[in-house]
Amino acid sequence: MTEPIIALSHIRREFRNGDTVVAALEDVTLDIHRGELVAIIGSSGSGKSTLLNILGCLDHQTSGTYGVAGTDVAALDADALAALRREHFGFIFQRYHLLSELSALENVEIPAVYAGETSSARQTRAKRLLARLGMAERRGHRPNQLSGGQQQRVSIARALMNGAEVVLADEPTGALDRRSGEEVLKILAELHREGKTVIIVTHDPEVAHRADRIIELRDGLVVSDKRTDTAVTTAAPSLPAARPAAKPSRWSGFAFRFRETLRMALLSMAAHRLRSFLTMLGIIIGIAAVSSVVALGNASQKKVLSDISNLGTNTIEVFPGKDFGDARAGKIKTLVLDDARALDRQTFIAGVTPTVSTSTTVRYRDRESNMLVNGVDRSYFQVKGTKLAAGALFDADAVRNIERQAVIDDNTRRTFFSDDQNAGIGRVIWIGKVPCRVVGVIAQQQGGFGSSQNLSVYLPYTTVQAQFTGDRSLRSVLLRVSDEVSTDLAQEAVTTLLTRRHNTKDFAILNTDDIRRTITSTTQTLAFLVAAIAVISLVVGGIGVMNIMLVSVSERIGEIGVRMAVGARRSDILQQFLVEATLISSLGGIAGILIAVALGTLLNLLLPGFQVSYSTFSIGAAFLTSTAIGIFFGYFPARRAASLDPVVALSRE
Ligand code: ADP
Ligand code: MG
């Protein structure tokens, strides 16, 4: 006789149940040859399923040796066992174990997917198998649209898909009515006639009598092993559903499997739409928040910096008082006109504008308002970059001659001269008790830095000193630094000079570079803080993904078992769950980016002069982040799914 395809020698399988150890199989030794139709019978709990699981390489024996076509199974790793299941064994279960989200045809195709076959080759053979089993009409139906007998025929087609040599059936008729059971048995007998080795587990003696050989188990031991009279050990060689000769290359096989994995992930997301969406929500909110805040921060920083550059470059402003916000700054009289004159003599200073200010009531006819009265030099307007809307600025003579010429801002024009065609030019307003002629109107600065609702009027500083403050002290000195000198150096020189003049440092200096730097570093600090919060929210989102994937894995343990039984490698299972997690979080990322872009566009429409923009870099980074979150947080659940024992997973179904 030829070498047996299955050779068991002293197989023992123990289950540990707390402290007690149960031996489901005591000591089983038997050989099964190619082309046999074997029935394994025995009462419930006698060890039939345990034996069949070991035969199908779903389970391991505790001791003894098991050889498949001469190979010792104990020497094979998980992937080699998966290959054995995929290529040599076909399983038929009592409860069919079809995947409910797939059609009959797709269920039949699964083993070939894991074999890496092309979709067209798969479909052709799956259709032929289903047609042969009388299921051509129903191949598009889902399992829940099929009767038990029909589902069992689909599962037989699946078992034959990769051209299995050995068909293992555990109580294949157990859940079927008499007629359907009869049909299934007829199919199995037919497979046997075609030369397949068929092993059927049953507790029905009538079913057993169809077999050539009946092995009876009792309490994990073979109590009888006899051939029946009807035995016809024919080994017809024709196998209609044989595997294709050409195996796909490693890479194209991987690509096909990956495409299938992607499709499965989409299917499972579609099956749990609400759950997938809620899982995504964490990622959506996180990514949308990060992207918007980063873009907003950039936009506002850009805006502030451009406003500052309106102030003119290279300017330094000196104020009396030890520091800004000195409560007595208004009363400190230490900064005087002579300081301004001394500064004006320095070569590194291109221009000096002393400023004084006071606050008083301004009246025009029956209208009056409290106003800030600024005493400035002509160069003040130049340094500040102010533009005229009407009239003219007062000239150098006006400063020298202490003339009562006023330049008003736009707020003041609107308050006093809203109905004046000439914008008030040439009119006389009363500033306190002093009549002044309006000579010019300043254009409103476009959302300028420091623009406010205040009403301001500008007079020659000499006029303000003579008419209002009555002394030579200044509110500030505005300096324009020569282009070839750095602002920092100039500031140092100014500090030294004034300290020497005053014998103490009783003034504060503001330079535009400082403001720029402060704002840049403030926004950077802010951006860093926001980024930290965003990272936390993304981690929370990632934990959400992990949580749901763990739920998904434990919900689909049965499915994992079925996939492993038909030959999925551990890496296939890992990939499936990893792809699902990654898909959920990267789709969440895309949604988050879209929301952020929509928000930015809305802001741009609502706030003119504000430019929120998204660079391809930041969009790409957001997308990659969400993908990375999926991979990172999906890995643990996927690993858990992949490391399941096939028989344990199957028993949960
Ligand atoms: P059968 O299929 O003949 O009804 P089984 O092979 O399923 O019997 O079970 C044989 C014995 O092994 C039973 O006593 C059963 O309780 C025990 N058994 C089977 N699987 C496990 C398991 N995973 N853990 C513990 N005991 C088990
Ligand atoms: Mg059983």
Side-chain angles (χ1 to χ4, degrees):
M1 217 175 204
T2 53
E3 184 192 39
I5 188 159
I6 283 170
L8 299 177
S9 154
H10 302 294
I11 292 291
R12 183 177 172 81
R13 177 64 166 112
E14 292 173 353
F15 291 106
R16 191 171 291 281
N17 219 340
D19 288 340
T20 57
V21 173
V22 181
L25 295 176
E26 286 278 354
D27 180 2
V28 175
T29 300
L30 56 87
D31 288 349
I32 295 173
H33 289 267
R34 282 196 168 77
E36 278 192 291
L37 173 56
V38 181
I40 299 173
I41 59 168
S43 54
S44 179
S46 56
K48 308 180 296 291
S49 295
T50 306
L51 179 60
L52 202 73
N53 289 337
I54 287 177
L55 290 180
C57 301
L58 289 171
D59 197 6
H60 303 279
Q61 67 273 24
T62 309
S63 64
T65 52
Y66 170 29
V68 177
T71 311
D72 185 359
V73 168
L76 302 177
D77 64 10
D79 271 1
L81 289 174
L84 208 59
R85 290 195 292 268
R86 194 163 59 235
E87 285 158 24
H88 297 279
F89 294 109
F91 287 93
I92 300 166
F93 304 97
Q94 179 176 0
R95 290 272 162 205
Y96 335 121
H97 285 349
L98 299 176
L99 303 190
S100 56
E101 284 150 27
L102 301 182
S103 69
L105 186 70
E106 288 166 330
N107 265 289
V108 176
E109 283 181 53
I110 297 175
V113 169
Y114 291 124
E117 253 188 275
T118 65
S119 155
S120 62
R122 261 175 9 219
Q123 282 194 6
T124 314
R125 208 166 59 260
K127 281 179 189 165
R128 213 167 58 201
L129 280 167
L130 282 173
R132 191 188 139 184
L133 298 178
M135 292 288 295
E137 310 289 297
R138 294 197 163 68
R139 64 183 182 219
H141 288 45
R142 296 281 174 83
N144 60 7
Q145 299 168 312
L146 297 171
S147 73
Q150 289 167 338
Q151 289 187 59
Q152 195 58 300
R153 276 185 272 169
V154 173
S155 102
I156 294 174
R158 180 178 65 188
L160 299 176
M161 187 61 189
N162 283 351
E165 282 172 81
V166 182
V167 175
L168 303 167
D170 193 352
E171 312 261 13
T173 61
L176 299 178
D177 59 71
R178 186 145 207 90
R179 204 171 56 85
S180 308
E182 196 60 38
E183 277 166 13
V184 165
L185 287 175
K186 240 191 266 171
I187 295 167
L188 290 177
E190 205 177 306
L191 293 174
H192 163 62
R193 273 198 301 282
E194 284 165 8
K196 291 203 187 294
T197 311
V198 179
I199 303 172
I200 307 174
V201 162
T202 182
H203 59 262
D204 182 348
E206 232 178 282
V207 172
H209 278 289
R210 313 283 184 98
D212 323 328
R213 179 178 170 192
I214 301 175
I215 298 170
E216 188 179 353
L217 289 183
R218 190 177 303 150
D219 297 334
L221 284 168
V222 177
V223 290
S224 84
D225 181 351
K226 53 181 184 265
R227 286 169 200 285
T228 58
D229 302 338
T230 56
V232 273
T233 317
T234 48
S238 83
L239 290 177
R243 279 184 53 75
K247 266 200 178 184
S249 81
R250 219 182 140 78
W251 274 110
S252 71
F254 178 81
F256 288 129
R257 264 153 48 213
F258 187 78
R259 214 172 56 196
E260 217 55 34
T261 310
L262 208 60
R263 219 171 58 86
M264 274 312 303
L266 285 171
L267 269 174
S268 115
M269 276 169 62
H272 304 109
R273 271 186 220 102
L274 183 64
R275 193 168 81 185
S276 305
F277 172 72
L278 290 178
T279 312
M280 270 182 211
L281 209 53
I283 305 284
I284 294 176
I285 293 171
I287 291 284
V290 187
S291 318
S292 321
V293 167
V294 167
L296 265 174
N298 280 340
S300 53
Q301 182 177 348
K302 234 186 267 170
K303 171 127 186 65
V304 170
L305 287 181
S306 87
D307 286 346
I308 292 174
S309 71
N310 279 343
L311 293 178
T313 47
N314 278 9
T315 60
I316 293 179
E317 202 161 3
V318 185
F319 295 90
K322 283 209 167 20
D323 216 335
F324 303 110
D326 191 324
R328 298 166 301 118
K331 298 186 180 67
I332 299 173
K333 310 277 186 192
T334 50
L335 195 66
V336 293
L337 202 53
D338 288 338
D339 292 325
R341 299 239 164 89
L343 286 168
D344 203 11
R345 286 194 292 272
Q346 307 303 311
T347 49
F348 60 91
I349 299 292
V352 173
T353 305
T355 76
V356 289
S357 69
T358 186
S359 174
T360 187
T361 310
V362 179
R363 188 161 48 82
Y364 174 69
R365 291 189 184 161
D366 57 340
R367 303 177 191 186
E368 67 174 37
S369 176
N370 205 46
M371 279 200 204
L372 190 64
V373 180
N374 300 285
V376 297
D377 202 346
R378 194 182 150 75
S379 56
Y380 175 88
F381 300 102
Q382 193 190 341
V383 174
K384 289 283 187 188
T386 25
K387 299 204 168 49
L388 274 176
L393 299 174
F394 42 79
D395 50 29
D397 282 346
V399 176
R400 202 174 319 122
N401 301 335
I402 319 184
E403 284 176 26
R404 297 170 186 177
Q405 295 186 0
V407 173
I408 57 173
D409 68 356
D410 200 55
N411 289 338
T412 312
R413 179 194 62 75
R414 261 180 287 154
T415 310
F416 288 161
F417 306 112
S418 53
D419 43 9
D420 192 314
Q421 297 209 327
N422 232 347
I425 305 291
R427 304 283 177 196
V428 172
I429 53 177
W430 287 81
I431 302 177
K433 295 190 177 72
V434 183
C436 297
R437 188 171 300 279
V438 176
V439 295
V441 180
I442 293 170
Q444 194 166 31
Q445 239 167 339
Q446 237 316 312
F449 183 65
S451 72
S452 64
Q453 299 303 310
N454 289 343
L455 305 182
S456 296
V457 58
Y458 299 87
L459 298 175
Y461 71 92
T462 48
T463 312
V464 175
Q465 283 179 327
Q467 302 287 348
F468 300 99
T469 57
D471 58 32
R472 290 167 72 78
S473 72
L474 301 173
R475 187 188 76 97
S476 78
V477 180
L478 187 61
L479 305 168
R480 196 153 48 83
V481 180
S482 303
D483 284 343
E484 62 271 20
V485 180
S486 91
T487 319
D488 286 339
L489 273 180
Q491 178 169 344
E492 253 175 66
V494 169
T495 309
T496 318
L497 181 83
L498 287 182
T499 311
R500 191 146 31 82
R501 286 180 61 86
H502 293 186
N503 288 324
T504 170
K505 190 183 171 298
D506 56 358
F507 54 90
I509 294 186
L510 190 69
N511 90 44
T512 42
D513 271 3
D514 273 353
I515 304 180
R516 216 178 314 242
R517 265 188 296 239
T518 311
I519 287 173
T520 309
S521 84
T522 313
T523 45
Q524 270 165 1
T525 315
L526 227 87
F528 181 78
L529 266 175
V530 168
I533 294 168
V535 165
I536 292 170
S537 82
L538 285 176
V539 167
V540 172
I543 291 171
V545 170
M546 179 150 85
N547 186 25
I548 287 301
M549 289 315 295
L550 282 173
V551 171
S552 178
V553 167
S554 62
E555 246 180 24
R556 285 153 67 187
I557 282 183
E559 174 191 330
I560 296 167
V562 173
R563 287 180 181 276
M564 285 179 160
V566 301
R569 302 158 189 79
R570 290 194 186 288
S571 61
D572 291 323
I573 302 295
L574 183 87
Q575 193 187 59
Q576 183 183 338
F577 285 92
L578 206 51
V579 163
E580 198 172 318
T582 309
L583 209 59
I584 284 184
S585 75
S586 53
L587 285 180
I590 291 174
I593 291 168
L594 290 179
I595 289 174
V597 170
L599 276 178
T601 315
L602 197 69
L603 265 182
N604 286 347
L605 285 177
L606 293 180
L607 300 175
F610 208 69
Q611 262 310 313
V612 183
S613 66
Y614 292 90
S615 64
T616 27
F617 173 79
S618 62
I619 289 177
F623 179 73
L624 285 183
T625 308
S626 62
T627 309
I629 288 171
I631 294 174
F632 185 80
F633 288 97
Y635 185 75
F636 172 65
R639 258 301 293 274
R640 205 161 153 161
S643 59
L644 281 169
D645 214 5
V647 72
V648 174
L650 264 178
S651 66
R652 300 271 188 88
E653 175 84 321

